[in-house]
Amino acid sequence: MFLEDERYLHEDLERLEQAIADRIGDDPKHIRDRLNKDHEIAQLLQQIKEQSASLLKLYRDEDSGLTNEIQRIGTGDPFDEFYREVTAIRDHHARYPNEQAENTEVRYRAKRTADGELIPYVIDALFSGEEAFGRFLDLHACHDSYLNLPNVKRLNYIQYLELFDNFAVGAGGIKRDDKLTDQYFKYLGELADYLESFMRRTRPLENVDKVVADFDNEFEAAWEKDEVEGRLKEKAVAEREFRIKRLASAMSTERGDTRINVERKQGMTERERQQELDNLMSMADRTQQAAAPEEAEGDDEGEERIYNPSSFL
């Protein structure tokens, strides 16, 4: 089945490339739809990477399975090989009699509602209501952790949004000795992790690993030259502060939009804020419900769907 596996992988790579091209051709207007498109493209690119790796492994033919199969076809009785394949197919379907044949032509097509609208449910579980599908930062948990640090100024949330990456000694009331505590180091880790997570969720097509690695290399170079602003005795603390500053700078637009949004909400009543959140959440619920019938049709009465290359012969 090595030749069939190769054929299948080549065909699947073509379908993946077409699926990416189709999505690139779309021009969604809503931020949620645009971000969902990018996440789907990122997933398809990852599948191309995985399928390509599988195909390369077959071509390397390290166990000579492909070579032996070609020799059997070229030198043996063709009917023997034919009946061997037929037997393999029958055995598979005997083991999985309820397996449904998959329509591979629609496997990677964008899912749509009955009205033809896209179903962007890929990102619905990735963001909190406060983040509004990546439009705004949600630093409330980090703000709470900051307020629990010793000797800090009691900044409100808007003030915190302005100053969370200001690590000058004395800023926010934090003294040099306070910066060397485990509690402060843990707080920095929480803040850095959130900002990096937000970047990954809002920029799925960007190589965030490389971005973070570049930040680390930049820090190491600055540290060696004694150019780290507000340099501390503890390198690990300074490194986290440096990364937070770079991440915050890279997301300055979202940060500014967040501050404006928080100020806007402060002028709303509690009922208005709750209604806005309910509207946002109901949007996700509607698309999930629209996707449910399509997913249900593909279910196989509890049978696990197992890929069988023989089914494509």
Side-chain angles (χ1 to χ4, degrees):
M1 299 301 295
F2 292 95
L3 288 173
E4 170 57 24
D5 289 344
E6 285 186 359
R7 183 206 64 77
Y8 168 78
L9 288 169
H10 276 293
E11 185 180 276
D12 204 47
L13 286 170
E14 291 180 2
R15 285 192 292 264
L16 286 164
E17 291 172 0
Q18 184 59 52
I20 291 175
D22 291 342
R23 285 163 174 78
I24 291 176
D26 288 338
D27 186 23
K29 304 303 180 185
H30 194 279
I31 182 174
R32 176 169 173 258
D33 298 337
R34 293 196 301 270
L35 185 57
N36 185 80
K37 181 186 78 169
D38 289 348
H39 272 277
E40 287 189 349
I41 291 175
Q43 290 179 351
L44 293 169
L45 288 171
Q46 179 61 30
Q47 287 179 276
I48 285 179
K49 181 179 179 180
E50 294 172 358
Q51 295 291 61
S52 297
S54 298
L55 187 57
L56 285 173
K57 184 177 180 180
L58 285 174
Y59 276 123
R60 291 191 184 102
D61 195 25
E62 295 176 354
D63 59 358
S64 300
L66 177 60
T67 300
N68 294 335
E69 183 174 310
I70 293 174
Q71 288 178 344
R72 287 199 308 271
I73 295 174
T75 61
D77 187 336
F79 285 102
D80 287 345
E81 186 64 25
F82 171 76
Y83 285 116
R84 183 182 293 108
E85 298 295 342
V86 170
T87 300
I89 293 173
R90 286 176 174 172
D91 289 345
H92 178 89
H93 288 290
R95 289 195 300 271
Y96 309 105
N98 296 320
E99 180 182 3
Q100 297 293 317
E102 180 183 6
N103 184 353
T104 57
E105 294 302 318
V106 300
R107 177 185 298 168
Y108 303 120
R109 289 181 186 173
K111 293 180 172 60
R112 298 179 182 272
T113 66
D115 297 329
E117 296 184 2
L118 288 172
I119 302 176
Y121 62 86
V122 171
I123 66 167
D124 284 347
L126 295 182
F127 297 96
S128 68
E130 187 74 18
E131 290 171 324
F133 301 111
R135 291 182 63 191
F136 312 119
L137 298 169
D138 183 0
L139 290 173
H140 285 90
C142 295
H143 179 226
D144 289 341
S145 296
Y146 168 82
L147 292 177
N148 286 326
L149 294 173
N151 303 319
V152 298
K153 294 179 181 178
R154 308 302 294 179
L155 302 178
N156 61 37
Y157 188 55
I158 291 181
Q159 291 172 327
Y160 178 75
L161 287 171
E162 292 287 344
L163 299 173
F164 71 80
D165 60 340
N166 183 353
F167 297 113
V169 174
I174 301 178
K175 300 177 181 178
R176 183 180 298 274
D177 290 342
D178 296 330
K179 286 174 172 281
L180 301 179
T181 63
D182 290 341
Q183 186 178 359
Y184 181 72
F185 189 68
K186 182 179 179 181
Y187 159 72
L188 290 178
E190 179 183 350
L191 179 54
D193 288 347
Y194 173 79
L195 293 174
E196 183 177 332
S197 167
F198 188 85
M199 177 177 281
R200 291 184 185 278
R201 288 178 288 137
T202 55
R203 305 180 186 184
L205 296 179
E206 189 169 333
N207 189 345
V208 177
D209 288 336
K210 183 179 184 302
V211 171
V212 174
D214 288 344
F215 291 161
D216 292 342
N217 292 335
E218 186 181 350
F219 169 79
E220 290 294 338
W223 181 267
E224 291 298 325
K225 297 178 182 179
D226 198 17
E227 295 176 351
V228 176
E229 183 180 352
R231 181 178 174 123
L232 301 171
K233 294 180 181 179
E234 180 56 58
K235 182 178 178 180
V237 173
E239 183 177 16
R240 284 191 175 180
E241 290 182 344
F242 187 90
R243 179 180 294 189
I244 289 169
K245 293 178 71 170
R246 289 296 182 268
L247 287 167
S249 177
M251 294 181 286
S252 58
T253 299
E254 292 87 346
R255 182 182 187 175
D257 290 344
T258 301
R259 181 180 57 79
I260 294 172
N261 184 56
V262 172
E263 291 175 339
R264 179 184 65 85
K265 284 188 173 183
Q266 287 183 345
M268 300 168 63
T269 65
E270 179 61 30
R271 181 177 180 180
E272 289 172 334
R273 287 194 291 269
Q274 186 60 46
Q275 183 63 48
E276 183 177 272
L277 180 60
D278 290 344
N279 290 340
L280 188 66
M281 292 298 99
S282 66
M283 182 188 299
D285 291 340
R286 286 195 299 270
T287 53
Q288 290 281 13
Q289 292 169 3
E294 181 177 340
E295 294 173 352
E297 290 174 3
D299 290 342
D300 187 23
E301 300 296 332
E303 289 288 336
E304 181 181 3
R305 299 179 65 181
I306 302 174
Y307 161 62
N308 172 24
S310 304
S311 62
F312 298 103
L313 284 174

